[in-house]
Amino acid sequence: MIDFLKEFLLFLKERKKIWLYPIFLILGIFGILIVLGQGSTVAPFIYAIF
């Protein structure tokens, strides 16, 4: 998985797709929040943010 991410970031850099970085960053943050919000002890704190 790490190799895929490295290769993907190099692809974006080489193809001048720098504008995609913020989109993937926000999608990654939302993905992490969804995973943490699935019945963990962190869930009440995540719900308080929104």
Side-chain angles (χ1 to χ4, degrees), residues 1-3 23-24 26 30 32 34 36 38 45 50:
M1 185 67 177
I2 300 294
D3 291 332
I23 295 171
F24 287 118
I26 290 172
F30 278 133
I32 290 170
I34 289 171
L36 289 177
Q38 299 267 333
F45 300 110
F50 297 106

Side-chain angles (χ1 to χ4, degrees), residues 12-32:
L12 291 178
K13 185 177 178 182
E14 183 177 314
R15 301 287 181 167
K16 307 290 191 244
K17 302 290 184 191
I18 304 296
W19 57 274
L20 287 173
Y21 286 133
I23 295 171
F24 287 118
L25 180 67
I26 290 172
L27 286 174
I29 289 171
F30 278 133
I32 290 170

